[in-house]
Amino acid sequence: MSSLRRNTEKLTSSGLPLEVFDTAPVGVGVYRGEALVLAYTNHAYHQIFGHRPLGVPIRELFADLREQADLDLLEEAFRTGRPSQATAIPFTVGDSPGAPRAAAGADAVQRYLSFSATRIELADHEPGLLLVVVEETERVTAAERTRVLSEERRRVLRRYESLTTALTQQVWVSDARGLVVETSAAWERATGQPRAAIRGRGWLETAHPDDRDGLTRAWFRAVDEAPDLFQYAYRLRHADGSYRHCELHAVPVREDGRVLEWVGACTDIEERWLAERRSELIRRAARAATESPTASEAFAVLSTVLVPALADECAIYVLGEFAGPECATDLAPLPMERIAATVRPGLRPGPPPRAQELIGARHTMARVVRERQPSHASFPPGAVPADFAAPGAVTWLRQMGAHSGAVLPVLVDGEVVAVVAAFVCGDRDPISQADRDLMRELFERAHTPLSRALQLQRTQQVARALQHSLLTPPPEVPDLTIAARYLASPAAAEVGGDWYDAFVLLDGATVLIIGDVAGHDLDAAVTMSRTRNMLRALAVDREEPPGDILRRLDVNTLILSPQESTTTCVLARVEGPPGGPWRLNYSVAGHPPPLLVTWEGDATFLDDAQDILLGGLSPEEPRNSSVRPLPRGCTLLLYTDGLVERPDEDLGQGLDRLRRHATALAREPLDVFCDELLAHPAQTGRDDIAMLALRLPAP
């Protein structure tokens, strides 16, 4: 017989049938006497409280119960006779002196139970207490877990709502198809859209017209593909009609791998976008100016940086000869040259890129030059003031509906060298103060390369003027026809060192000179000028063979110009009495040989008086001279290497081509002869070309 049964038998004589509770699903305990001594427990009671020995008063029995106040309820029910009940109260039992370890486990685990306590009378008329107990730990724990999870979810939702409100203030929720079903008051306030207009696809209408199609395609593609995060930057229309850049973030809400809805939030990134645009435009402007070989090309490329980022149309005007503000007086008009004009794609082509403009002294552009300060204005679409835009652009700007413009001076090394005129059209926002300042900054950041380009341009102008002052027309000589040609290379921006010269000496001889100084800069032009003038003086000084004259030129060059240079030339004297016969006395210093073409069409290169380039011989070494008879009707051609050299072929091929071509032109008029020879190299040439041709009377 079990201990539980033995305990029951002790009370059998009292007539209380406690054994009926042995298999009850709830815990049953009986206490007797004023001390409430434990007299009976069933199996369920034992499972709830662990092994509690019979015959021990309740206070001592539950000395390990942390919630001792619960025992007061039991004692009160015993004293008053009024039943006491409690539901899902916590209780914690553990190790206690005098009590064995609880069966529920060690280290005191909190549990929950419901009980009812009723005063009873035992068979011997001894008062007792019947305690019925049900453990509800699992139920209460599950309910608490549900409550905690629910509270945590509400807290997360509140946190998310607070976060999105703080960061974006513009939130919406769409269904799985990407159609908005819920929105926020912040979105409605920001965009001015009523709730009904936002639902479905309506929210897309707040995107800038130029961004709307791209946003729509990207959004519904994301709905189909369901990435973990969708991001897209676009311009969002606000309630006041203005547009600001925003970044849309949308995340799918999934359940069992299926998208239930999307949560979208817009963050304003206007300031970040402006900063990034500024950095990008400054980088592009600096690179464009640095990589452009000339000032005109630099200005042209800079206009493409402004359009379409900051304007729909931009033209740049260079002051005539880079005149300063003193040219823009109250009386004199200001000459300018438009050297660049860029129009946003989609607009009708604007005014031609290059044109001369005469700006009145009271015009905004002239005032900008005088005051060195920018100006900008807004006006009704198409009502462009005549004193604000350049005369050549006013009509086009009015037709395009221009409504805002900015005019800025470009200062380089403290001097106003150009004026920038930029305009916007259509539904684009007017040019703002910030945009105008950014335009000015772009040109200020390009100052150093612009300064270098302008200095080079001025140097080239001086060198070109010097060169052209020396390329004088050949003299008119009885019985002789002389023609000269000079063609600058289309591939070289700088001036070259090619030159020709022709004059008649006192002895009647006609001198022909062709020369080439290596380089394409002011130094080459100066060396060319110095060499030409020295050679002319030496040829006039005394009658002697051309080789001797070139030797004296070597000596003079060593004394007067010791710096190294690469200079070649041909010096020739055409000698003979009036009516002939004539002969050629010549010397070649490292230069391509003269070509002699007869009336019958035979062509010969004269290479029997070749020597190395000027300055390459010591003063003691003589230079060669050679004499060749000139038949009637022949053509003598002196030329620089640009006529025969090409980068993709050997020099011999160029000489053969020249000879064949000249042979076919043997009886053409001398001007036609020269022009035809220039025509083919002009298409592919990489160098300047100088030519000097002489024709004798025909037989």
Side-chain angles (χ1 to χ4, degrees):
M1 183 179 296
S2 67
S3 60
L4 182 61
R5 172 59 59 192
R6 287 196 298 272
N7 293 339
T8 303
E9 289 179 347
K10 295 178 182 179
L11 298 177
T12 300
S13 60
S14 67
L16 181 65
L18 297 179
E19 66 275 6
V20 298
F21 298 118
D22 286 352
T23 59
V26 297
V28 176
V30 176
Y31 300 85
R32 62 184 179 185
E34 294 293 334
L36 294 179
V37 175
L38 182 62
Y40 167 81
T41 61
N42 69 352
H43 182 72
Y45 185 100
H46 177 76
Q47 291 296 319
I48 294 173
F49 294 113
H51 179 65
R52 303 286 168 170
L54 301 177
V56 179
I58 193 170
R59 288 287 178 180
E60 182 180 346
L61 188 70
F62 286 102
D64 60 339
L65 180 66
R66 295 183 181 178
E67 295 84 359
Q68 288 288 312
D70 294 336
L71 299 180
D72 295 344
L73 297 176
L74 304 182
E75 293 174 342
E76 182 179 358
F78 177 79
R79 289 194 308 272
T80 63
R82 293 192 297 271
S84 176
Q85 294 181 338
T87 303
I89 64 171
F91 78 98
T92 309
V93 294
D95 293 337
S96 175
R101 180 179 297 274
D107 300 329
V109 178
Q110 187 178 65
R111 296 151 70 193
Y112 297 86
L113 57 82
S114 297
F115 70 85
S116 66
T118 306
R119 181 184 174 100
I120 60 174
E121 185 175 292
L122 300 176
D124 55 1
H125 302 290
E126 183 180 12
L129 183 71
L130 175 66
L131 178 64
V132 180
V133 184
V134 178
E135 182 164 1
E136 297 192 284
T137 301
E138 290 187 5
R139 182 186 67 80
V140 173
T141 302
E144 178 65 14
R145 187 182 303 112
T146 301
R147 184 192 67 79
V148 170
L149 289 176
S150 178
E151 179 60 29
E152 179 65 20
R153 183 179 180 184
R154 284 194 296 271
R155 185 161 57 249
V156 170
L157 289 175
R158 285 196 299 270
R159 185 185 303 126
Y160 176 75
E161 291 172 355
S162 301
L163 181 63
T164 54
T165 299
L167 293 181
T168 66
Q169 301 183 347
Q170 299 159 20
V171 183
W172 49 251
V173 177
S174 80
D175 60 18
R177 298 170 300 166
L179 305 179
V180 168
V181 295
E182 295 180 26
T183 184
S184 63
W187 177 278
E188 297 170 24
R189 288 194 304 269
T191 63
Q193 268 191 317
R195 185 178 297 268
I198 299 173
R199 296 175 65 87
R201 291 172 172 252
W203 68 278
L204 294 166
E205 296 300 315
T206 59
H208 191 281
D210 293 343
D211 300 342
R212 193 173 300 152
D213 289 344
L215 171 62
T216 302
R217 288 193 299 270
W219 167 241
F220 286 104
R221 183 169 59 249
V223 169
D224 291 338
E225 298 174 356
D228 291 335
L229 173 64
F230 171 73
Q231 290 179 278
Y232 197 89
Y234 67 100
R235 286 167 289 181
L236 178 69
R237 186 187 67 235
H238 285 250
D240 61 0
S242 65
Y243 287 92
R244 291 178 64 86
H245 287 81
C246 73
E247 190 168 65
L248 172 64
H249 295 77
V251 294
V253 178
R254 307 178 193 268
E255 183 175 290
D256 298 329
R258 184 170 59 91
V259 176
L260 299 179
E261 60 186 11
W262 291 79
V263 178
C266 275
T267 304
D268 188 286
I269 61 168
E270 182 70 14
E271 299 305 321
R272 188 186 81 189
W273 181 85
L274 289 174
E276 291 176 351
R277 181 188 65 164
R278 174 182 173 275
S279 298
E280 172 63 15
L281 292 179
I282 288 175
R283 183 188 63 81
R284 287 178 54 198
R287 184 179 64 187
T290 301
E291 295 178 353
S292 299
T294 67
S296 296
E297 291 182 29
F299 282 128
V301 177
L302 284 170
S303 70
T304 66
V305 176
L306 267 64
V307 176
L310 299 174
D312 293 320
E313 188 270 347
C314 175
I316 299 180
Y317 301 83
V318 175
L319 276 66
E321 294 300 322
F322 304 109
E326 64 276 2
C327 296
T329 64
D330 290 337
L331 300 177
L334 189 62
M336 293 186 181
E337 180 185 5
R338 183 170 63 237
I339 61 171
T342 302
V343 175
R344 173 178 60 82
L347 294 181
R348 184 167 59 82
R354 303 193 74 91
Q356 297 292 331
E357 296 274 13
L358 195 62
I359 307 300
R362 291 178 174 80
H363 195 280
T364 299
M365 295 173 67
R367 178 167 51 81
V368 163
V369 174
R370 285 195 303 270
E371 299 175 0
R372 302 188 175 201
Q373 293 296 324
S375 176
H376 81 285
S378 295
F379 30 81
V384 182
D387 63 349
F388 191 81
V394 169
T395 301
W396 182 86
L397 289 169
R398 288 174 176 173
Q399 292 172 348
M400 293 298 102
H403 58 81
S404 179
V407 181
L408 305 93
V410 179
L411 280 75
V412 177
D413 299 329
E415 179 181 353
V416 179
V417 299
V419 174
V420 179
F423 293 86
V424 296
C425 312
D427 59 357
R428 186 166 183 162
D429 291 339
I431 295 176
S432 65
Q433 178 76 31
D435 286 347
R436 192 197 72 180
D437 292 343
L438 180 54
M439 292 179 190
R440 188 172 189 176
E441 185 177 4
L442 294 181
F443 284 89
E444 289 175 350
R445 292 299 185 97
H447 175 273
T448 299
L450 281 176
S451 176
R452 287 197 299 264
L454 290 173
Q455 289 174 3
L456 177 60
Q457 183 168 316
R458 290 179 175 129
T459 300
Q460 292 167 357
Q461 289 173 343
V462 172
R464 193 170 292 113
L466 175 60
Q467 184 181 43
H468 283 281
S469 70
L470 301 176
L471 300 177
T472 56
E476 294 184 3
V477 181
D479 296 332
L480 303 181
T481 305
I482 305 175
R485 295 290 188 271
Y486 178 83
L487 181 66
S489 168
E494 301 89 353
V495 66
D498 294 18
W499 92 94
Y500 63 81
D501 197 6
F503 50 93
V504 179
L505 296 175
L506 294 177
D507 63 359
T510 300
V511 176
L512 303 177
I513 302 172
I514 196 81
D516 186 2
V517 177
H520 288 84
D521 52 23
L522 183 59
D523 288 341
V526 170
T527 300
M528 177 267 290
S529 173
R530 183 173 56 244
T531 303
R532 171 193 180 272
N533 292 333
M534 284 195 298
L535 186 53
R536 174 177 276 229
L538 293 172
V540 172
D541 178 56
R542 66 184 72 167
E543 297 178 14
E544 59 184 351
D548 294 345
I549 296 174
L550 292 182
R551 185 185 62 80
R552 287 198 291 142
L553 180 61
D554 284 332
V555 174
N556 281 273
T557 300
L558 288 173
I559 296 173
L560 300 177
S561 304
Q563 65 270 25
E564 294 184 2
S565 66
T566 302
T567 305
T568 67
C569 79
V570 175
L571 173 61
R573 285 169 51 96
V574 179
E575 304 166 346
W582 294 276
R583 66 177 186 172
L584 180 68
N585 193 349
Y586 70 100
S587 181
V588 180
H591 200 84
L595 178 63
L596 181 64
V597 184
T598 67
W599 185 257
E600 292 74 24
D602 294 326
T604 304
F605 286 108
L606 307 181
D607 54 6
D608 50 359
Q610 283 281 2
D611 268 323
I612 65 174
L613 52 81
L614 292 175
L617 295 177
S618 66
E620 295 79 14
E621 293 183 77
R623 280 191 175 272
N624 293 322
S625 294
S626 184
V627 178
R628 178 71 67 97
L630 296 175
R632 294 184 69 87
C634 73
T635 302
L636 176 68
L637 177 65
L638 308 183
Y639 54 93
T640 56
D641 54 8
L643 186 65
V644 292
E645 285 187 346
R646 291 184 183 176
D648 57 346
E649 68 179 18
D650 182 77
L651 177 59
Q653 294 177 269
L655 292 172
D656 288 342
R657 182 176 54 253
L658 173 61
R659 178 164 44 200
R660 292 193 304 270
H661 200 184
T663 298
L665 300 169
R667 296 192 181 188
E668 294 292 339
L670 192 59
D671 286 336
V672 175
F673 178 92
C674 293
D675 292 340
E676 287 295 323
L677 290 182
L678 276 179
H680 293 288
Q683 298 172 9
T684 58
R686 301 292 182 88
D687 201 359
D688 300 341
I689 301 173
M691 285 192 338
L692 195 59
L694 177 140
R695 173 77 56 81
L696 296 183

